[in-house]
Amino acid sequence: MDSKMMIRRIGCVLLLGILGTALHAQSNRSSIEIDYEAPKKYIVGGVGVEGNTYYAEHQILQQTGLHAGMEVTAPGEDITNIVKRLVAQRYFEDVAVVIDSLSAAKDTAWFKICIKERPRVSRWTFSGVKTSERKDLQERLNLRPGREYSDYVRSTSVDIIKRYYKEKGFLLCDVDVDVQKDSMIRSAIRVNFDVKKGNKVRIKHINFIGHDGNVSEYKLSKAMKETHSNKWYNFFKSKKFKEKEYQSDRKNVLEAFNEAGYRDARLVRDSIYYVDDKHIDIDMVFDQGRQYYFRNITWTGNSVYPSEVLDEVLKIKKGDVYDMVTMEKRLHGGGKQSEMDVRKLYMDNGYLFFNVTPVEVNIQNDSVDVEMRISEGKPAILNNIIINGNDLTNEKVVRRQIMTRPGYLFSQTDFERSIREIASLGQFDAEAIMSPGGWSILPNPSSNTVDLVYNVTEKPSSQLELSGGWGAGTFVATAGVSFNNFSTHRILDKNAWRPVPLGDAQTLSFRFQTNGTYYTTVSASFMEPWLFGKKPTSLSISGYYSRMTNSLLGLGAAFLRNDKVFEVFGFNAGLGNRLKWPDNYFVLYNNLSWQTYRLTNWESSYFAFDTGVSHNLSYTVSLNRNSTDQQIYPRQGSDFSASLQLTPPFSLFRRHTFDAEGNRQSVNSWKDIDYSTWSASNRFKWIEYHKWKFSGAVYTKLIGDLVLMSRAQFGFLGYYNRNWGYSPFEGFQVGGDGMSGYMTYGAEIVSLRGYEDYSLTPMRYTPYSTAYQSYAGHLYDKFTVELRYPVILQPQSTIFVLAFLEGGNCWADIREFNPFQIKRSAGVGVRVFLPMIGLLGVDWGYGFDDTANGGSQFHFVLGQQF
């Protein structure tokens, strides 16, 4: 055999050997057998991923923790945990980890992770729902396009939708889920939730079974705060059934039994069943047990206050019904804010760590002996007073308002008052600071100290007014700005002008209104709530000018005249001081003002004369007490004000008179002066009067945020000298919406809804006016009852609705005064507070007692009306 043939044969043998080895390796990879009874350790040679579309290979491998070079046991917990981790992500419908190949020594394995991704949703839709409901559902479900779809997503989404409609009273709501492939996007689906709401289900009857006359059905029904039957006394309450609230109301009903002395009362069973497809009934079966009474009440552990003092706070005597609910309130609080309880008594004296536990030490027949076990602890000293959230307002503004200071003993009353003072500042969200998240008490028992945290939320307080309007045939333009958080301290800081320096709670305002030559007014004011920044003494300064003429600028007509003019110049300066007695809610104001009224041929019935100049120099002292919990929507507290405004009694100093020709003559006494011969310019050059006013409002929280406001008002304008008579200015004009319109000065406008503007003000004869009569409102009273309920209570806006009953009247002389001769009205309204604009409102009122000026009336309100 020659050498060439030998080489060919050897080459063929090697080629067949190589091919055989390769085929054997390929066969070995496809037929790897795993013995689950005998797990084996492998070195990871490599890891691959198969079946992924949306997720990159490295993202999946990061979740597994599997990488080349590590040692794993297969089969075993290592592989099982990898599968569990991937399945827990809920991104994959199926997950498998397989050995793709082994090394020749079978100690190294190459793994492959085989996944099947869940389908992605290109669009989520709803059918059978309203547009507003669709928005609510989208917010609750938070379903975004591109999200994976799974049984978990389906079940949780359906559950959320059903709960949403159950809260609205649709207890039989059902949801079908329709899944379809998206023909436009590969590997995507469309999901539609088909909602079948059914009928709205309401509670028809709640049957209380097993109670006697000592606990009435009415009392049990009122104890249920959120679960109401269709009884007449639940007319304004929702009849929807809410599962979560019902569980709480079951406990509330038992508390009603406990309050009546039935300490052993229990709910045996309850059942909820449909009486038709729109109503359900609830049966509640009770075992009320026997009624118990207090016998002996003793105190132990008390050293700060004697037992007699604690008994007076507890207000429970031997023989009283064993009312556990009231006892708990008088021990630990929870009743009305103004009521004292034992816990508050101790905490006002610094005993923050105080605790009292009532223990029933003896029960004999229907009598219970109770021992009040007190742990007084040590007084807590205020350590850190922390203020958070004041991004704009200076911290000193908040600190000077609060009653809690480092080093003081802790006082619950001072702490509550501090929250109220912050809420009434007007710079922060009142609802936020008064909620539990608005403050924190951080006690440190080891050192007997406590930190207080006030979490304030800034809100816009400055107001900008830019308006133009057409009314009464004329155009009126208004421009005004009020910076209610101004800072004079930062005026020289160029970085603070954004647009003006802010942060010190000062008020700086400017306002300009005109329609051309007919009417122009300009005013400016400044108020510093803490003069010199150390004491609660306020300083207020204001100046103004107003001018009206008989010019007319209207649609299709223009008459520019200046032969009839009414002008007012004025300046005010006042100081206010917070008092410590009778309590620190009182504020005493002192104000000095000067006004000049200039009338030229002003032929109208507004004032007692047409031509002349009057000067008004007056001093006002007022005493105010405001304990309301906030400014815009107070829920509790009161606001009282009494004031006296005085001018010098110029007529009592006069020793001269004028005859019919205007010649000046001397007299012996002011009593000898006959003012009927005086001209208006002489008689009213210096006006004189004494003006008394009183206003009192009480806010009572009824249920939830439902508030009853009761207000009484009284005003009287008197004179020093009957011969001189009443002042032609500073009277009262009663009736209408209380908005002064153009007549900004010269009279006090008092609203009385349901009647035309000023229509309840009497007119009296005057020889100095071409109309021979003028408004003569020298005495008025007014009584208001308002029921208020909020719609929105947010920093950006506050909206509340109201219903009112109102009555009042106006008289020309105190001798005509009859408090029972009032003009009555009733109606409804709405108020909207926007930080940039202020308080706006509209009322509809119906006046009952004046057919000519009453009846159905709409009133528009700008600003707070009093």
Side-chain angles (χ1 to χ4, degrees):
M1 187 180 298
D2 57 14
S3 59
K4 291 184 178 181
M5 182 63 68
M6 181 63 69
I7 292 173
R8 290 191 184 98
R9 288 182 178 180
I10 294 172
C12 288
V13 172
L14 291 174
L15 179 60
L16 289 173
I18 292 170
L19 288 174
T21 303
L23 290 172
H24 177 72
Q26 185 173 349
S27 175
N28 185 44
R29 178 180 298 179
S30 62
S31 60
I32 298 173
E33 295 183 359
I34 302 297
D35 187 356
Y36 287 91
E37 298 295 331
K40 187 177 179 182
K41 291 185 177 182
Y42 297 96
I43 301 298
V44 178
V47 186
V49 179
E50 182 180 88
N52 57 310
T53 301
Y54 295 104
Y55 292 95
E57 181 174 309
H58 72 274
Q59 291 177 305
I60 299 173
L61 294 179
Q62 285 178 352
Q63 299 292 332
T64 64
L66 196 63
H67 58 83
M70 67 180 296
E71 186 179 78
V72 297
T73 301
E77 291 187 2
D78 295 337
I79 303 301
T80 302
N81 290 336
I82 291 173
V83 174
K84 287 181 178 180
R85 281 198 295 272
L86 291 175
V87 171
Q89 303 301 315
R90 296 176 181 160
Y91 301 141
F92 310 113
E93 194 171 340
D94 189 23
V95 178
V97 179
V98 300
I99 297 178
D100 189 42
S101 63
L102 294 173
S103 63
K106 295 187 177 183
D107 58 350
T108 301
W110 282 261
F111 290 85
K112 180 184 292 184
I113 301 175
C114 303
I115 62 171
K116 181 180 180 181
E117 294 178 328
R118 296 189 184 278
R120 296 303 178 98
V121 181
S122 61
R123 188 178 181 187
W124 305 88
T125 58
F126 301 88
S127 58
V129 302
K130 298 178 181 179
T131 302
S132 59
E133 295 172 343
R134 181 180 295 109
K135 292 180 179 179
D136 291 341
L137 291 173
Q138 289 171 342
E139 291 178 359
R140 292 197 179 198
L141 293 172
N142 194 26
L143 298 174
R144 301 178 302 276
R147 181 176 177 176
E148 70 285 344
Y149 181 76
S150 65
D151 290 339
Y152 174 79
V153 173
R154 178 187 182 281
S155 61
T156 54
S157 299
V158 169
D159 184 57
I160 291 173
I161 294 173
K162 286 184 176 181
R163 287 205 309 269
Y164 172 77
Y165 281 102
K166 281 185 177 181
E167 293 174 2
K168 291 181 171 291
F170 297 95
L171 303 184
L172 301 177
C173 174
D174 193 19
V175 181
D176 292 334
V177 183
D178 182 28
V179 180
Q180 295 183 353
K181 289 186 177 181
D182 193 324
S183 58
M184 304 296 293
I185 303 176
R186 185 172 63 89
S187 301
I189 60 175
R190 294 184 178 183
V191 178
N192 178 66
F193 297 100
D194 184 18
V195 180
K196 299 178 177 62
K197 294 188 288 187
N199 293 320
K200 183 173 286 189
V201 180
R202 292 179 170 86
I203 302 171
K204 189 172 185 180
H205 299 113
I206 300 177
N207 303 310
F208 302 101
I209 304 168
H211 67 97
D212 59 20
N214 291 327
V215 186
S216 65
E217 180 178 327
Y218 173 79
K219 184 174 183 178
L220 295 175
S221 180
K222 297 299 287 184
M224 303 184 79
K225 306 302 182 184
E226 300 292 337
T227 310
H228 308 294
S229 65
N230 62 355
K231 295 286 187 179
W232 64 268
Y233 44 76
N234 293 324
F235 182 79
F236 294 103
K237 297 178 180 178
S238 172
K239 313 303 185 299
K240 293 186 295 185
F241 178 78
K242 305 172 185 177
E243 177 66 30
K244 184 177 180 181
E245 286 76 4
Y246 174 66
Q247 299 302 322
S248 298
D249 280 338
R250 291 172 54 175
K251 299 178 181 178
N252 293 335
V253 173
L254 290 178
E255 286 187 359
F257 280 103
N258 297 154
E259 198 170 356
Y262 295 93
R263 65 182 292 277
D264 301 328
R266 62 188 183 92
L267 178 61
V268 179
R269 63 179 182 275
D270 63 328
S271 57
I272 304 169
Y273 53 93
Y274 288 89
V275 293
D276 54 49
D277 59 348
K278 295 183 180 180
H279 297 93
I280 62 172
D281 280 359
I282 301 176
D283 290 345
M284 305 183 75
V285 181
F286 297 94
D287 177 10
Q288 72 176 28
R290 71 187 304 174
Q291 192 174 27
Y292 289 85
Y293 301 88
F294 284 101
R295 188 168 63 180
N296 298 316
I297 299 176
T298 57
W299 302 84
T300 62
N302 55 307
S303 61
V304 178
Y305 296 102
S307 299
E308 293 77 14
V309 173
L310 300 178
D311 285 335
E312 289 180 5
V313 176
L314 190 63
K315 297 179 183 178
I316 296 177
K317 298 179 181 179
K318 184 176 183 179
D320 288 351
V321 170
Y322 188 63
D323 181 354
M324 295 187 293
V325 176
T326 301
M327 178 179 67
E328 185 67 22
K329 289 179 180 179
R330 292 176 183 172
L331 288 176
H332 298 103
K336 295 182 179 179
Q337 188 176 13
S338 59
E339 293 181 348
M340 179 60 71
D341 55 77
V342 175
R343 175 177 172 272
K344 191 173 184 179
L345 178 69
Y346 270 89
M347 294 185 72
D348 278 352
N349 202 18
Y351 290 88
L352 176 63
F353 309 110
F354 160 86
N355 184 42
V356 57
T357 304
V359 179
E360 298 173 347
V361 293
N362 187 24
I363 300 175
Q364 186 174 0
N365 297 324
D366 63 351
S367 300
V368 181
D369 294 338
V370 181
E371 183 178 87
M372 305 296 182
R373 298 178 180 176
I374 293 178
S375 173
E376 294 177 334
K378 294 183 179 180
I381 305 297
L382 295 177
N383 186 23
N384 296 313
I385 308 299
I386 304 169
I387 299 169
N388 296 324
N390 55 315
D391 302 323
L392 178 63
T393 305
N394 291 331
E395 187 169 313
K396 68 176 183 180
V397 173
V398 184
R399 291 196 177 276
R400 69 193 185 191
Q401 291 294 124
I402 60 180
M403 307 292 178
T404 52
R405 308 289 172 85
Y408 285 19
L409 279 175
F410 175 82
S411 170
Q412 182 69 23
T413 298
D414 288 347
F415 178 61
E416 293 173 357
R417 174 70 183 277
S418 298
I419 294 175
R420 177 233 175 234
E421 290 296 324
I422 294 174
S424 63
L425 264 175
Q427 316 301 332
F428 308 108
D429 180 12
E431 298 297 323
I433 187 63
M434 298 181 71
S435 65
W439 47 267
S440 299
I441 300 177
L442 307 176
N444 187 355
S446 62
S447 60
N448 295 314
T449 60
V450 58
D451 295 340
L452 300 182
V453 181
Y454 298 99
N455 299 312
V456 299
T457 303
E458 295 271 8
K459 72 172 186 179
S461 58
S462 298
Q463 298 174 5
L464 175 66
E465 181 182 8
L466 292 172
S467 64
W470 188 271
T474 183
F475 178 81
V476 180
T478 303
V481 62
S482 178
F483 301 105
N484 297 323
N485 197 7
F486 191 72
S487 174
T488 56
H489 179 71
R490 304 179 64 195
I491 285 181
L492 299 180
D493 183 2
K494 62 180 182 180
N495 296 323
W497 288 84
R498 298 180 180 178
V500 296
L502 299 174
D504 284 346
Q506 298 167 341
T507 300
L508 178 65
S509 63
F510 303 94
R511 193 172 190 270
F512 174 78
Q513 187 177 52
T514 186
N515 76 335
T517 59
Y518 172 58
Y519 174 76
T520 300
T521 182
V522 59
S523 62
S525 65
F526 173 78
M527 196 272 289
E528 164 59 73
W530 282 63
L531 191 60
F532 308 121
K534 295 183 179 181
K535 292 184 178 181
T537 300
S538 63
L539 169 67
S540 59
I541 301 173
S542 65
Y544 47 86
Y545 168 74
S546 178
R547 185 176 189 271
M548 294 180 65
T549 71
N550 61 330
S551 295
L552 173 63
L553 177 62
L555 186 61
F559 304 98
L560 304 180
R561 299 175 178 174
N562 290 302
D563 56 321
K564 297 180 180 181
V565 180
F566 169 59
E567 293 178 291
V568 182
F569 307 83
F571 176 80
N572 288 294
L575 289 174
N577 295 279
R578 182 186 293 172
L579 306 180
K580 296 181 179 180
W581 185 89
D583 60 37
N584 55 13
Y585 286 108
F586 282 88
V587 179
L588 181 67
Y589 289 98
N590 295 273
N591 186 77
L592 186 65
S593 66
W594 162 75
Q595 288 175 314
T596 294
Y597 301 96
R598 180 177 295 162
L599 285 76
T600 305
N601 300 322
W602 193 253
E603 299 173 355
S604 72
S605 57
Y606 279 104
F607 305 116
F609 63 95
D610 295 342
T611 301
V613 177
S614 290
H615 301 287
N616 180 10
L617 178 63
S618 66
Y619 164 74
T620 303
V621 58
S622 63
L623 183 64
N624 297 354
R625 186 185 188 277
N626 187 346
S627 63
T628 56
D629 55 352
Q630 57 171 290
Q631 291 179 339
I632 306 303
Y633 189 79
R635 295 179 177 84
Q636 56 192 4
S638 60
D639 186 3
F640 289 91
S641 175
S643 67
L644 172 61
Q645 185 176 0
L646 301 166
T647 65
F650 298 105
S651 68
L652 302 184
F653 304 142
R654 291 194 182 110
R655 296 297 182 269
H656 68 273
T657 186
F658 293 93
D659 60 20
E661 286 75 27
N663 300 314
R664 179 167 175 163
Q665 299 176 350
S666 298
V667 295
N668 294 324
S669 171
W670 57 270
K671 297 180 181 179
D672 299 330
I673 301 176
D674 181 9
Y675 286 99
S676 64
T677 62
W678 287 44
S679 66
S681 59
N682 288 328
R683 181 173 182 175
F684 301 123
K685 182 177 181 180
W686 289 96
I687 62 174
E688 59 180 48
Y689 58 87
H690 52 89
K691 188 176 183 179
W692 307 74
K693 293 195 299 180
F694 170 81
S695 176
V698 177
Y699 300 87
T700 305
K701 187 176 182 179
L702 300 178
I703 301 174
D705 288 326
L706 182 65
V707 174
L708 179 69
M709 187 278 291
S710 305
R711 177 183 289 135
Q713 295 171 254
F714 173 83
F716 170 61
L717 182 71
Y719 52 74
Y720 300 110
N721 184 349
R722 181 177 293 275
N723 292 335
W724 189 85
Y726 287 103
S727 167
F729 301 102
E730 298 302 323
F732 306 102
Q733 295 180 5
V734 180
D737 51 29
M739 296 180 65
S740 59
Y742 291 128
M743 299 306 298
T744 310
Y745 307 104
E748 185 167 337
I749 311 302
V750 180
S751 70
L752 208 159
R753 294 163 287 189
Y755 296 92
E756 295 281 355
D757 290 347
Y758 321 144
S759 62
L760 302 182
T761 309
M763 309 286 284
R764 287 295 183 268
Y765 168 77
T766 173
Y768 302 110
S769 172
T770 54
Y772 293 106
Q773 64 176 2
S774 65
Y775 285 118
H778 302 138
L779 176 68
Y780 87 96
D781 63 6
K782 177 184 171 184
F783 307 95
T784 304
V785 176
E786 263 185 16
L787 199 62
R788 300 176 172 184
Y789 190 78
V791 178
I792 297 176
L793 293 175
Q794 298 292 337
Q796 296 80 12
S797 63
T798 298
I799 302 175
F800 63 89
V801 294
L802 59 90
F804 67 86
L805 297 173
E806 204 158 63
N809 209 345
C810 188
W811 296 268
D813 193 276
I814 194 170
R815 291 169 293 185
E816 303 171 1
F817 175 64
N818 184 350
F820 302 103
Q821 189 183 37
I822 63 173
K823 306 296 184 181
R824 299 164 298 171
S825 65
V828 295
V830 62
R831 296 290 183 273
V832 179
F833 178 81
L834 301 174
M836 287 295 293
I837 300 175
L839 189 65
L840 307 173
V842 60
D843 292 331
W844 172 84
Y846 190 90
F848 299 106
D849 298 313
D850 190 329
T851 56
N853 301 303
S856 178
Q857 302 283 340
F858 279 95
H859 305 286
F860 295 93
V861 179
L862 178 62
Q864 193 75 270
Q865 302 296 301
F866 301 100

